[in-house]
Amino acid sequence: CDRGDWLLWLVSHEDVTPHIPNSDRRLRLVACGCAEAVLTVYEAAYPDDGRPRAAIETARRYAEGKATIGELGAAKSRARDAATYAYAAVAYAYVTDAADAAACTASAVPRDAAVSATATVRDVAPDVQQADIVRRHYPWAVVRRALLLTRS
């Protein structure tokens, strides 16, 4: 399937998620990958503003157990401020979306982070690119096993 949002729906479905090892971590890393895929759009417009990149890095560290929920929340707030600034400056919509996607990675709920990030970057990153990101963190063997366990 070349639709990242469909693959994400499948792997984050409430019946499937319990059967996938490290699902929260995987979902957050999908969000980071999607946000990173479009981050260059923001950085081209605001090269000196590292808030969105810092949010993605913090979310990745949180997924690895190396950042606290407080650090995650602060990073989300700063990235959201960057998105608001870009919007207020009447920046190109994709620039705002890129910063917003970075803020989404720092959502406290991993599924929300992944769904929000992929939805936000939909106009910037092709579905195929999003699907590749989901597949990178969810190998078919893992998903297939979870689906089989869901049926039993």
Side-chain angles (χ1 to χ4, degrees), residues 7 10 135 138-147:
L7 289 174
L10 175 66
R135 282 192 290 266
Y138 287 90
W140 175 242
V142 171
V143 175
R144 183 175 180 276
R145 182 177 184 281
L147 290 172

Side-chain angles (χ1 to χ4, degrees), residues 31-47 49-57 60 79 82 94-103 105 121 124-125 129:
C32 292
C34 288
E36 267 181 337
V38 299
L39 187 59
T40 56
V41 174
Y42 184 85
E43 291 176 333
Y46 299 100
D49 189 350
R51 294 176 291 182
R53 181 167 296 282
I56 295 168
E57 290 169 359
R60 185 170 277 118
Y94 296 153
V95 172
T96 304
D97 288 348
D100 198 39
T105 66
V121 303
V124 185
Q129 185 178 13

Side-chain angles (χ1 to χ4, degrees), residues 28-80:
R28 188 162 314 277
L29 293 175
V30 166
C32 292
C34 288
E36 267 181 337
V38 299
L39 187 59
T40 56
V41 174
Y42 184 85
E43 291 176 333
Y46 299 100
D48 297 327
D49 189 350
R51 294 176 291 182
R53 181 167 296 282
I56 295 168
E57 290 169 359
T58 302
R60 185 170 277 118
R61 286 188 311 108
Y62 184 79
E64 301 296 340
K66 298 176 182 173
T68 67
I69 191 75
E71 291 171 310
L72 188 67
K76 178 181 181 178
S77 179
R78 288 190 296 274
R80 188 74 69 203

